[in-house]
């Protein structure tokens, strides 16, 4: 696979190894929609499911994927003849670099899944074969909502999962269609259930509604108070419940998280140390809720991720440790106990956005950050020895080299 040069703010962390299985079938009359800046929004917004191949003609792997992708589209069209139910599309990233940038395409070929115009965070990383791609599309057509036949089933829900339950008069309503659309998009993050008619009547004393049952047997239910017919409101509410503010980074989702294109704020902690994680989650929610979308809040197992720790001159014995990974450098928060200082964690993140962490990484502390004992020499502030506000580290090794090495050593 050919890897593109990284834009300044994005570090390409590895070259994904792709197994290309050509198969013995001969491509038929494929129905692949070519996307450009003029039609992409219209095509994707009107497609129930769209699988988009971002490619470059000069890339050998892109060339190898073309006949497979075309034949898979033929298989899907036979099974799902409704033209807007399943769409196979492609983007020539050399001809439409603005689209490649919009969707943060950093390697060729990349297969992205869209639902009703919204790009799913999990791209297709399965085997590049007609059968595998066709199976993937079939999986996307499975109804993500389980229908409840009795309210007694609610008592047996798996409370280790996040559950959202909708109570509706009928399936043929705007309320349920909105709920179903939300469920399709968040199917990998929550379990969705619904009850209808007489089964749901006891829960519809004030009309159709949906509730969220968090993880944990004793966790209280949360009721959606917005308009069920308003998809944007319903989706925003459900996403907030289904996607935790602080997520765990693992070997399985590391590449996916990186491709979101925003820096990481990571708590490295011993797996059994739930207290430190709870403190971190509380402070992130209290100080940084407004930064959601500009930085990913993550936690990682110290034992599994020994190499990133070593890279910042730490070991599992030093945990809990907080660091920012900007994909260019890693910056360490001074001390975990400093979380208790009002605004300190927020300032750490703001210093990333302002460039202060980067400047101090290369040049030492800003001149205004003098401390007692410093003296001015020749118009410059000096101290013995100079110390940055945050620990200065060696340039960062690629994240995926680290992730892969850690995984292989387990």
């Amino acid at each position: 696979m050919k890897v593109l040069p990284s834009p300044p703010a994005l570090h390409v962390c590895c070259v994904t190894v792709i197994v290309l299985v050509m198969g013995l079938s001969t491509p038929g009359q494929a129905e692949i929609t070519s996307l450009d800046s003029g039609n992409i929004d219209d095509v994707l917004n009107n497609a129930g499911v769209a699988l988009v191949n971002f490619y470059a003609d000069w890339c050998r792997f892109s060339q190898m994927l073309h006949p497979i992708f075309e034949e898979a589209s033929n298989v899907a069209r036979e099974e799902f003849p409704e033209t807007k139910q399943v769409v196979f599309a492609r983007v020539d990233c050399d001809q439409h670099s603005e689209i490649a940038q919009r969707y943060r395409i950093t390697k060729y070929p990349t297969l992205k899944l869209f639902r009703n115009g919204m790009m799913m965070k999990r791209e297709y990383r399965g085997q590049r074969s007609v059968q595998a791609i066709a199976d993937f599309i079939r999986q996307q057509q499975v109804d993500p909502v389980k229908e409840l036949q009795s309210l007694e089933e609610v008592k047996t829900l798996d409370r280790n999962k996040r559950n959202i339950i909708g109570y509706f008069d009928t399936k043929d309503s705007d309320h349920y269609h909105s709920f179903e659309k939300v469920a399709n998009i968040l199917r990998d993050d929550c379990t969705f259930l619904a009850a209808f008619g007489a089964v749901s009547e006891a829960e519809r004393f004030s009309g159709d509604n949906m509730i969220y049952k968090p993880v944990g047997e004793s966790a209280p239910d949360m009721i959606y108070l917005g308009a069920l017919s308003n998809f944007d409101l319903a989706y925003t509410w459900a996403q907030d419940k289904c996607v935790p503010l602080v997520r765990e980074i693992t070997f399985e989702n590391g590449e996916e998280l990186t491709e979101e294109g925003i820096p990481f704020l990571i708590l490295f902690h011993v797996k059994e140390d739930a207290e430190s994680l709870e403190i971190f989650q509380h402070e992130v929610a209290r100080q940084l809720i407004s930064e959601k979308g500009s930085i990913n809040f993550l936690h990682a197992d110290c034992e599994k991720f020994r190499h990133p720790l070593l890279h910042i001159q730490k070991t599992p014995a030093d945990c809990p440790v907080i660091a920012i990974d900007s994909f260019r450098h890693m910056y360490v928060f001074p001390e975990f106990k400093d979380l208790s200082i009002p605004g300190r964690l927020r300032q750490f993140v703001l210093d990333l956005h302002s460039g202060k962490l980067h400047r101090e990484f290369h040049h030492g502390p800003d001149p205004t950050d003098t401390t007692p004992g410093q003296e001015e020499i020749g118009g410059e502030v000096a101290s013995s020895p100079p110390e940055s506000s945050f620990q200065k580290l060696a340039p960062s090794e690629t994240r995926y080299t680290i992730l892969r090495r850690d995984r292989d050593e387990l």
Side-chain angles (χ1 to χ4, degrees), residues 82-336:
E82 170 57 46
T83 57
K84 292 185 179 180
Q85 184 179 5
V86 176
V87 171
F88 275 64
R90 59 191 170 198
V91 176
D92 183 335
C93 292
D94 278 345
Q95 296 296 320
H96 305 288
S97 59
E98 75 285 356
I99 297 178
Q101 285 188 331
R102 174 179 172 181
Y103 295 111
R104 301 191 184 103
I105 305 303
T106 61
K107 59 186 184 300
Y108 300 142
T110 292
L111 297 180
K112 293 277 191 182
L113 181 71
F114 294 77
R115 287 187 175 277
N116 303 110
M118 188 175 294
M119 185 177 73
M120 301 295 94
K121 60 187 179 184
R122 293 176 177 88
E123 68 182 52
Y124 177 77
R125 290 191 174 88
Q127 193 178 64
R128 263 54 169 177
S129 72
V130 172
Q131 183 65 44
I133 294 175
D135 285 344
F136 175 72
I137 293 299
R138 292 185 191 103
Q139 292 167 12
Q140 302 308 309
Q141 296 303 306
V142 174
D143 190 343
V145 182
K146 176 187 175 183
E147 182 173 349
L148 297 173
Q149 303 303 318
S150 164
L151 293 185
E152 289 297 310
E153 294 179 46
V154 175
K155 299 177 182 178
T156 62
L157 291 179
D158 184 350
R159 295 307 296 268
N160 291 315
K161 297 180 178 178
R162 297 175 176 84
N163 296 279
I164 291 185
I165 308 175
Y167 299 100
F168 305 95
D169 184 17
T170 68
K171 276 190 177 182
D172 188 21
S173 67
D174 290 342
H175 288 171
Y176 179 67
H177 292 327
S178 178
F179 179 84
E180 189 177 34
K181 188 175 175 182
V182 170
N184 263 308
I185 294 171
L186 295 172
R187 62 169 62 203
D188 294 327
D189 302 295
C190 264
T191 298
F192 287 85
L193 308 100
F196 303 94
V199 175
S200 69
E201 191 171 357
E203 294 290 339
R204 288 189 292 105
F205 48 86
S206 59
D208 292 353
N209 65 86
M210 71 174 169
I211 65 168
Y212 169 63
K213 288 186 173 292
V215 173
E217 291 292 341
S218 60
D221 294 349
M222 300 180 188
I223 303 173
Y224 173 64
L225 299 177
L228 274 168
S229 56
N230 188 318
F231 165 75
D232 290 335
L233 286 178
Y235 171 72
T236 299
W237 180 86
Q239 183 189 43
D240 181 63
K241 304 299 179 285
C242 294
V243 182
L245 184 61
V246 179
R247 294 178 282 176
E248 182 177 11
I249 184 170
T250 64
F251 298 128
E252 291 73 27
N253 68 3
E255 184 174 2
E256 170 189 303
L257 288 169
T258 298
E259 286 175 349
E260 292 183 16
I262 57 178
F264 298 164
L265 176 68
I266 310 176
L267 167 69
F268 295 94
H269 68 109
V270 177
K271 187 174 182 179
E272 293 75 20
D273 181 12
E275 182 181 358
S276 295
L277 176 57
E278 186 176 347
I279 293 171
F280 180 70
Q281 290 172 327
H282 175 74
E283 291 303 325
V284 166
R286 190 168 69 90
Q287 299 186 42
L288 296 171
I289 191 67
S290 63
E291 295 298 321
K292 185 179 180 181
S294 68
I295 193 162
N296 267 326
F297 309 116
L298 308 171
H299 67 100
D301 185 331
C302 275
E303 292 295 335
K304 290 183 178 180
F305 290 91
R306 284 174 169 267
H307 280 99
L309 281 173
L310 289 174
H311 190 71
I312 58 175
Q313 304 164 28
K314 302 288 184 180
T315 70
D318 297 311
C319 289
V321 172
I322 297 172
I324 285 176
D325 185 348
S326 71
F327 306 150
R328 299 175 69 185
H329 306 299
M330 291 184 73
Y331 313 99
V332 178
F333 188 70
E335 297 286 345
F336 182 79

Side-chain angles (χ1 to χ4, degrees), residues 28-44:
Q29 194 65 35
E31 295 185 34
I32 310 291
T33 303
S34 294
L35 302 178
D36 54 39
S37 57
N39 71 353
I40 186 168
D41 290 328
D42 182 61
V43 170
L44 296 183

Side-chain angles (χ1 to χ4, degrees), residues 322-371:
I322 297 172
I324 285 176
D325 185 348
S326 71
F327 306 150
R328 299 175 69 185
H329 306 299
M330 291 184 73
Y331 313 99
V332 178
F333 188 70
E335 297 286 345
F336 182 79
K337 61 182 176 60
D338 289 348
L339 280 180
S340 62
I341 301 175
R344 180 60 62 89
L345 185 63
R346 176 172 174 77
Q347 190 59 53
F348 184 51
V349 171
L350 294 179
D351 286 347
L352 170 74
H353 295 329
S354 70
K356 180 180 178 181
L357 294 184
H358 185 78
R359 289 196 307 274
E360 292 190 337
F361 183 98
H362 290 285
H363 307 296
D366 284 351
T368 56
D369 293 339
T370 59
T371 58

